[in-house]
């Protein structure tokens, strides 16, 4: 057995990040360091999901403005600052998609929760398609294409955006354990699809 | 278990146990493969620049955020040392003032709050929290009130209740104060008050009505017209309900801020400045367009906007129209401006099916009780009305140029420009939320007229609003939302520099783009760089050609070989960088 570990070399040390967040309310240099570390990642996250760079820039700016406001007001309590940024950026994306829709079938407006989930999945679709196209192995590509909607978000955040476990949990708004289990389930579903594909080919 | 069955089980989170996150070798390999593919994808995007933020954007945002971070933090947490000092100073005071019979100040407050909540619950809390909006008639002529099936003349000052229906005859009008907002009914209009507790809901049964909405936070204002619901997100709109073809026609102009329409198979945000026409007849449809100049010149809209502006309200898209001289305010329009034509219907003055007010060629004399330029008496708004600022936006080159008029109102502290990616909802609040960007570089303490350039990129569009802020960053005035599209840097056609003795005689095709974007030409050259440009600072020298219509210019230049081009430049203010709006190809010339 291998215990799941999520790691990515591009991440700032969590202890350093926490110290910077604690200082940033009164020290612009601390906020600058956080900005320098995370702005490219958040911009990348957004630009993988929207067509226009101008929109990605607007949403990036809004994400960091909210971060600054949260830090300065003392309302930021999350340990994973990066994950919190991804969550804010994701919410802004959902708002952006919602605003951009001129017509919406009323049948889809019934349940706020379903609508929110559908929009959240929709904003990840573009990134998932890029990832699927970039994967070499056909079976893996097929598994990504067929990945059920409820598993897409966690897979995209983890592998396409490269979030680590605490960031993933913050971005999904759940505990680290729940995030890991969700990812585990998604991988198992993918493996099952790949197995089925292999049987079909045989 | 078949593979399909396994897949079904795997898709169902409920069936699967909430197990530990341990991976077997297969899943670990899959995890590693996906992680590797993800890293490769991100690196690939970084290499080709797809996911790399533009340097200018990164640096300007950084600069703006750090400037904001360096400002005094009024609402936020103070540095720890400062907190400690404050606590030490305040604590003895609290101790002295707290009677010894009570445990501690915070528990005393909590106990009092609990007693208050219990008391509220005991006294019908819903009524306390969502008291009905007071509605009364403030200006009436030729209007009737139907209450409980009984009709009577509507009197000025009459208090109205849920279920009341107000109808105006063909030569009358009525103004109803709804809380701090108001409803103006044109001749022939009729409404029913369906809900006034907390949220306001009104059935507009017919005719033309101006809705000036002032809501407490969290409340909604909904106007229903049959199966269609119009929810105000902002403060002013005009809605007309009339017969049209085989069904009904609904026309709305969003004057200030936005309105949301929901109806059969449609949910639609209507941005300020848009005109919507709904046809429920044989060929039903919803048509949304920017309001035309003719629509915005409708005397009905102008009259209402004048009344509102005089009362201190913003008038959004009509602020420009109010600048032109028009007849004195009258709620009776000189002529009905038809909305956009809909398929399958007959419109216009000759339509016998239309129940809308009959247009006339000459202005109708206002009745003696008609409103005058003096604002209708009504309660003082609890929310200070937001004033207006004149502003315009044009796209020049790869940039949007936002210009504004001087602001002369009181309480002014700063002026800011905000930008939205779509027309939907740029609020008059600061800092703006919901994806709207405050352009920190535009923040200025000057109330004078000015401009701000915002880099957009060729073909990109954005919406802008100019806001005047008080010292607490509350918005005290706002412009209408304006849109700009950056056309990109235009081609100036062939640029032909001919060497002459001791210099160059240059010929080119004059700039043919928007003259508002163009101030002068610059001929720039470089002996080393094949792409000289003035805006980018890549040049060895330049000549200014200040006459826009010129197409030839001679100047001295030392002997040598140069790369040379001409650029059309917009230059407005000392604080705004010049913008290149047109450019020729760079050509090589050798001066003997």
């Amino acid at each position: 057995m291998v215990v799941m570990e999520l790691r990515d070399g591009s991440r700032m040390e969590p202890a350093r990040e926490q110290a910077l967040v604690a200082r940033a309310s009164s020290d612009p240099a601390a906020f600058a360091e956080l900005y320098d570390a995370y702005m490219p990642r958040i911009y990348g996250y957004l630009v993988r999901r929207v067509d226009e760079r101008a929109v990605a820039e607007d949403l990036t700016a809004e994400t960091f403005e909210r971060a600054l406001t949260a830090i300065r007001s003392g309302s930021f309590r999350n340990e994973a600052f990066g994950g919190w940024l991804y969550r804010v950026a994701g919410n802004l994306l959902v708002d952006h998609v919602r605003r951009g829709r001129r017509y919406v079938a009323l049948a889809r407006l019934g349940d706020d929760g379903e609508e929110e989930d559908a929009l959240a999945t929709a904003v990840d679709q573009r990134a998932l398609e890029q990832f699927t196209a970039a994967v070499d192995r056909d079976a893996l590509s097929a598994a990504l294409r067929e990945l059920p909607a409820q598993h897409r978000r966690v897979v995209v955040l983890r592998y396409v955006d490269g979030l680590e476990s605490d960031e993933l949990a913050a971005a999904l708004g759940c505990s680290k354990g729940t995030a890991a289990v969700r990812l585990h389930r998604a991988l198992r579903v993918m493996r099952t699809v790949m197995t089925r594909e292999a049987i079909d080919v045989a | 278990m078949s593979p399909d069955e396994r897949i079904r089980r795997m898709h169902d989170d409920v069936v699967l146990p909430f197990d530990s996150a341990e991976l077997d070798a297969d899943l670990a390999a899959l995890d590693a493969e996906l992680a590797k593919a993800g890293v490769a994808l991100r690196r690939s995007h970084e290499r080709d620049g797809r996911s790399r933020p533009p340097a200018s954007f990164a640096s300007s945002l950084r600069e703006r955020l750090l400037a904001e971070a360096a400002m005094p933090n009024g609402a936020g947490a103070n540095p720890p040392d400062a907190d400690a000092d404050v606590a030490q100073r305040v604590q003895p005071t609290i101790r002295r003032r707290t009677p010894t019979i009570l445990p501690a100040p915070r528990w005393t407050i909590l106990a009092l709050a609990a007693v208050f909540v219990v008391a509220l619950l005991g006294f019908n809390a819903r009524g306390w929290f969502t008291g009905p909006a007071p509605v009364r008639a403030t200006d009436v002529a030729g209007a009737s009130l139907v209450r409980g099936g009984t009709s009577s003349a509507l009197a000025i000052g009459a208090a109205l209740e849920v279920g009341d229906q107000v109808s105006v005859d063909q030569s009358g009008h009525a103004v109803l104060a709804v809380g701090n907002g108001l409803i103006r009914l044109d001749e022939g209009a009729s409404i029913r008050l369906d809900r006034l507790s907390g949220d306001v809901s009104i059935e507009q049964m017919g005719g033309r009505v101006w809705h000036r909405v002032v809501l407490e936070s969290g409340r909604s204002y909904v106007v229903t017209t049959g199966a269609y619901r119009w929810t105000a997100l902002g403060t002013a709109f005009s809605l007309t309900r009339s017969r049209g073809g085989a069904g009904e026609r609904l026309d709305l102009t969003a004057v200030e801020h936005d309105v949301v329409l929901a109806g059969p198979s449609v949910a639609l945000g209507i941005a300020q400045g848009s005109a919507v026409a709904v046809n429920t007849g044989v060929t039903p449809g919803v048509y949304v367009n920017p309001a035309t100049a003719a629509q915005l010149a409708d005397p009905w809209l102008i009259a209402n906007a004048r009344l509102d502006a005089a009362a201190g309200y913003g008038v959004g898209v009509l602020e420009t129209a109010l600048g032109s001289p028009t007849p004195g305010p009258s709620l009776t329009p000189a002529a009905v401006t038809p909305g956009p034509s809909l398929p399958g219907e007959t419109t216009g003055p000759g339509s016998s099916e239309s129940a809308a007010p009959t247009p006339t060629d000459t202005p109708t004399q206002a009745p003696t009780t008609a409103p005058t330029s003096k604002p209708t008496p009504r309660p003082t708004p609890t929310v200070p009305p937001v004033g207006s600022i004149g502003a315009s936006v044009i796209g020049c080159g790869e940039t949007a140029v936002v210009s504004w008029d001087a602001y002369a109102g009181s309480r002014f502290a700063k002026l800011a420009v905000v930008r939205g990616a779509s027309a939907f909802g740029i609020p008059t609040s600061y800092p703006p939320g919901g994806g709207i960007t405050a352009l920190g570089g535009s923040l200025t303490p000057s109330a004078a007229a000015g401009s701000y350039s915002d880099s957009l990129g060729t073909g990109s569009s954005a919406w802008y609003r100019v806001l005047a802020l008080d010292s607490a960053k509350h918005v005290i005035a706002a412009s209408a939302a304006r849109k700009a599209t950056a056309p990109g840097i235009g081609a100036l056609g062939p640029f032909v520099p001919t060497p002459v003795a001791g210099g160059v005689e240059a010929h080119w095709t004059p700039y043919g783009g928007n003259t508002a974007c163009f101030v002068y030409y610059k001929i720039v050259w470089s002996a080393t760089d094949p792409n000289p440009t003035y805006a980018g600072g890549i040049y060895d020298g330049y000549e200014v050609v200040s006459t826009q219509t010129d197409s030839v210019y001679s100047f001295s230049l030392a002997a040598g070989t140069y790369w040379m081009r001409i650029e059309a430049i917009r230059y407005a203010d000392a604080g705004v960088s010049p913008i290149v709006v047109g450019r020729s190809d760079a050509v090589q010339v050798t001066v003997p």
Side-chain angles (χ1 to χ4, degrees):
Chain A
M1 289 282 188
V2 178
V3 176
M4 183 183 294
E5 277 188 60
L6 306 175
R7 57 178 178 273
D8 192 311
S10 62
R11 166 91 187 272
M12 178 185 285
E13 277 295 318
R16 173 75 180 156
E17 177 186 295
Q18 286 175 30
L20 289 172
V21 169
R23 279 174 38 210
S25 65
S26 57
D27 181 1
F31 186 81
E33 193 170 332
L34 290 167
Y35 173 86
D36 292 342
Y38 282 108
M39 197 282 283
R41 292 183 69 192
I42 295 300
Y43 178 84
Y45 167 85
L46 289 164
V47 85
R48 279 189 285 273
R49 287 162 171 79
V50 297
D51 292 327
E52 295 179 59
R53 295 181 78 101
V55 175
E57 289 177 13
D58 282 349
L59 299 182
T60 302
E62 177 68 18
T63 301
F64 281 92
E65 280 162 6
R66 291 193 182 191
L68 180 58
T69 302
I71 286 176
R72 280 163 62 83
S73 66
S75 61
F76 180 77
R77 293 284 182 268
N78 201 308
E79 286 186 356
F81 181 66
W84 184 87
L85 287 174
Y86 281 105
R87 192 170 177 185
V88 170
N91 291 338
L92 291 173
L93 265 172
V94 168
D95 289 345
H96 171 73
V97 171
R98 185 187 286 119
R99 277 196 310 276
R101 293 180 313 173
R102 304 290 289 174
Y103 289 83
V104 180
L106 287 188
R108 294 186 56 199
L109 292 176
D111 186 311
D112 285 346
E114 287 179 13
E115 175 77 357
E116 206 72 15
D117 289 346
L119 285 170
T121 303
V123 300
D124 288 328
Q125 188 59 31
R126 190 166 179 269
L128 181 63
E129 285 168 3
Q130 292 173 24
F131 189 47
T132 305
V135 167
D136 289 333
R137 194 152 63 102
D138 289 345
L140 187 54
S141 180
L144 286 168
R145 271 197 303 275
E146 294 186 26
L147 192 61
Q150 69 266 34
H151 296 307
R152 280 181 206 155
R153 188 154 180 73
V154 67
V155 166
V156 171
L157 287 171
R158 165 63 191 127
Y159 298 112
V160 181
D161 300 307
L163 270 63
E164 295 187 33
S165 57
D166 55 342
E167 293 178 322
L168 190 62
L172 294 171
C174 62
S175 69
K176 283 170 67 172
T178 303
V181 169
R182 285 178 64 176
L183 184 58
H184 192 189
R185 287 173 175 164
L187 291 174
R188 288 167 64 182
V189 170
M190 288 184 65
R191 180 172 62 183
T192 305
V193 175
M194 291 163 71
T195 305
R196 187 195 63 190
E197 290 284 318
I199 293 170
D200 289 347
V201 169
Chain B
M1 187 186 301
S2 72
D4 286 343
E5 195 177 2
R6 281 206 305 262
I7 291 169
R8 278 198 297 277
R9 286 175 58 82
M10 291 296 183
H11 291 182
D12 185 354
D13 283 351
V14 177
V15 174
L16 284 168
F18 191 83
D19 50 8
S20 64
E22 290 183 341
L23 300 179
D24 57 30
D26 279 354
L27 289 188
L30 180 58
D31 173 59
E33 184 177 3
L34 287 165
K36 188 177 171 186
V39 170
L41 179 68
R42 291 196 297 278
R43 285 184 181 160
S44 161
H45 285 179
E46 282 168 20
R47 273 196 305 273
D48 65 19
R50 209 182 312 178
S51 67
R52 194 185 313 134
S56 59
F57 162 73
S59 60
S60 67
L61 176 60
R62 189 180 197 276
E63 191 178 328
R64 176 157 56 86
L65 289 168
L66 294 189
E68 196 171 328
M71 289 167 70
N73 190 358
N78 292 316
D81 290 342
D83 273 346
D85 288 343
V86 170
Q88 284 168 4
R89 283 199 305 273
V90 171
Q91 202 169 5
T93 309
I94 293 174
R95 270 204 296 269
R96 277 201 304 274
R97 290 180 182 174
T98 305
T100 52
I101 195 170
L102 295 173
R106 65 177 182 276
W107 293 115
T108 305
I109 292 167
L110 284 173
L112 290 172
V115 169
F116 180 68
V117 169
V118 169
L120 282 183
L121 293 174
F123 283 101
N124 183 7
R126 182 170 174 76
W128 281 61
F129 286 125
T130 58
V135 181
R136 59 191 176 86
T138 60
D139 188 3
V140 179
S144 62
L145 167 66
V146 177
R147 178 179 293 169
T150 304
S151 179
S152 61
L154 179 64
I156 292 176
L160 301 175
E161 304 169 355
V162 170
D164 285 353
Q165 180 181 325
V166 174
S167 300
V168 176
D169 64 31
Q170 290 300 327
S171 61
H173 69 267
V175 181
L176 312 180
V178 181
N180 294 323
L182 58 83
I183 301 170
R184 293 198 189 97
L185 291 86
D186 195 13
E187 55 191 25
S190 178
I191 65 166
R192 187 182 63 232
L193 305 173
D194 285 345
R195 181 172 178 176
L196 299 172
S197 294
D199 299 337
V200 173
S201 178
I202 293 162
E203 170 79 17
Q204 186 165 328
M205 304 165 78
R208 179 158 57 174
V209 179
W210 173 274
H211 299 267
R212 163 61 64 180
V213 184
V214 178
L215 285 177
E216 292 176 15
S217 177
R219 303 302 186 205
S220 67
Y221 184 97
V222 179
V223 180
T224 55
T225 47
Y228 294 87
R229 290 164 54 85
W230 311 79
T231 302
L233 300 180
T235 51
F237 60 93
S238 173
L239 178 60
T240 304
R241 181 177 184 179
S242 57
R243 293 286 302 166
E248 278 192 313
R249 172 163 171 154
L250 311 170
D251 287 287
L252 179 134
T253 305
V255 173
E256 191 183 33
H257 305 309
D258 304 335
V259 176
V260 169
L261 165 63
S265 300
V266 63
L268 173 65
I270 303 160
Q272 172 180 305
S274 298
V276 181
V278 178
N279 186 9
T280 66
V282 178
T283 52
V286 179
Y287 304 84
V288 187
N289 289 294
T292 64
Q295 286 172 315
L296 295 179
D298 182 346
W300 160 258
L301 297 182
I302 298 295
N304 278 286
R306 280 194 184 287
L307 291 170
D308 282 10
Y313 292 115
V315 291
V317 72
L318 292 175
E319 66 181 17
T320 306
L322 287 194
S324 58
T326 55
S330 164
L331 290 182
T332 306
V336 173
T337 304
S341 297
L342 301 178
E345 72 165 0
T346 305
T347 59
S351 172
S352 60
E353 293 177 310
S354 174
T358 306
T360 57
D361 293 333
T362 55
T364 306
Q365 291 299 315
T368 53
T369 54
T372 65
S373 58
K374 185 179 177 182
T376 306
R378 54 191 170 71
T380 303
T382 53
V383 179
V386 173
S388 62
I389 304 175
S392 61
V393 184
I394 53 172
C396 293
E398 296 175 323
T399 303
V401 180
V402 185
S403 303
W404 56 88
D405 302 336
Y407 181 71
S410 59
R411 296 190 292 132
F412 175 86
K414 286 188 176 175
L415 186 141
V417 179
V418 295
R419 178 188 64 202
S422 70
F424 194 93
I426 303 180
T428 53
S429 59
Y430 192 89
I436 309 302
T437 302
L439 302 174
S442 69
L443 211 57
T444 171
S446 170
S451 65
Y452 179 76
S453 300
D454 183 39
S455 179
L456 275 184
T458 300
S460 297
S461 298
W463 290 71
Y464 297 87
R465 197 191 286 280
V466 179
L467 305 174
L469 311 174
D470 65 12
S471 56
K473 286 195 173 181
H474 296 138
V475 175
I476 54 176
S479 74
R482 306 281 189 206
K483 184 184 181 185
T485 300
I489 297 174
L492 283 184
F495 174 68
V496 183
T498 305
V500 295
V504 170
E505 180 178 292
H507 295 256
W508 65 91
T509 305
Y511 173 75
N514 186 349
T515 54
C517 292
F518 176 44
V519 176
Y520 52 63
Y521 296 106
K522 286 210 171 182
I523 298 173
V524 292
W525 61 85
S526 169
T528 54
D529 196 305
N531 278 304
T533 172
Y534 176 72
I538 304 170
Y539 58 84
D540 294 339
Y542 62 81
E543 284 284 327
V544 177
V545 184
S546 56
T547 305
Q548 298 180 351
T549 53
D550 275 1
S551 60
V552 58
Y553 186 75
S554 299
F555 55 98
S556 300
L557 190 58
T561 299
Y562 304 94
W563 292 96
M564 189 176 288
R565 67 158 36 115
I566 188 166
E567 292 181 326
I569 307 281
R570 183 188 191 277
Y571 180 78
D573 302 311
V576 180
S577 300
I579 300 163
V580 175
V581 298
R583 174 183 288 157
S584 73
D585 289 337
V587 295
Q588 208 164 22
V589 58
T590 300
V591 179

